[in-house]
Amino acid sequence: LNGRVDAPGGCRFDLTLTNLLPYEISSLVPDFSVYRNNNVVYATKILGFNSIKPGNKLRRELQFEAISCAEIGRLQVRGGDRCEMGALNKFSDVKPGSCLALLRVLPSELLKFEK
C-alpha cells in the first residue's frame, strides 16, 4: 500500500505488487475490502494484476466511491483464487487460498492493511 487520498467521489488507494517469485505472475485477481472504522465491511472490489515478470513491479489504483479516507479503518486483501503463476492455473487441483498464500502483504502506516 503506497498511498491513499481523498479523490472526487471517494477514497483512492495506490497499490504496488512486486513479484519476488522465481516465475511470472501471469494473472492474479484478488478482492479488496474496505472496512469502516466500526469494523463493518463497506465495499469489496476486485483488481487484476497481469504479466509481472520476476523482479518487476506493477502499480495499480483502486477507488472506493462515496466514502472518505477518514471513514476507512482497514483494507483487506481476500480471494485471489483465480490466478496463473507457477504451477497454479485454472487446471490446478488446489484448495482455495493457495494463490493468496503466495502473497505477502506489508504493513502500512496509512491504515491497517492485511490479508
Side-chain angles (χ1 to χ4, degrees):
L1 179 62
N2 298 322
R4 72 176 180 164
V5 63
D6 281 308
C11 183
R12 185 179 67 230
F13 292 95
D14 295 317
L15 305 162
T16 299
L17 179 63
T18 303
N19 184 357
L20 300 176
L21 300 170
Y23 43 79
E24 180 179 5
I25 297 173
S26 298
S27 176
L28 175 65
V29 185
D31 302 334
F32 290 86
S33 294
V34 290
Y35 289 74
R36 288 188 178 274
N37 290 319
N38 63 2
N39 209 31
V40 172
V41 175
Y42 176 75
T44 299
K45 291 192 171 194
I46 61 171
L47 182 65
F49 295 87
N50 298 307
S51 302
I52 311 170
K53 302 236 185 265
N56 285 355
K57 299 177 182 185
L58 181 61
R59 185 180 159 278
R60 299 295 310 270
E61 292 181 350
L62 178 64
Q63 183 162 328
F64 289 89
E65 291 78 21
I67 188 168
S68 70
C69 292
E71 296 175 274
I72 297 174
R74 72 179 163 121
L75 177 63
Q76 185 176 25
V77 183
R78 306 184 314 177
D81 292 327
R82 298 173 292 202
C83 75
E84 290 187 36
M85 59 174 107
L88 299 174
N89 59 48
K90 63 183 175 182
F91 303 110
S92 300
D93 185 25
V94 294
K95 63 181 181 180
S98 296
C99 297
L100 196 57
L102 296 173
L103 296 183
R104 187 178 70 174
V105 176
L106 300 178
S108 173
E109 293 181 12
L110 300 172
L111 79 160
K112 189 172 186 178
F113 184 47
E114 62 191 8
K115 67 174 180 174

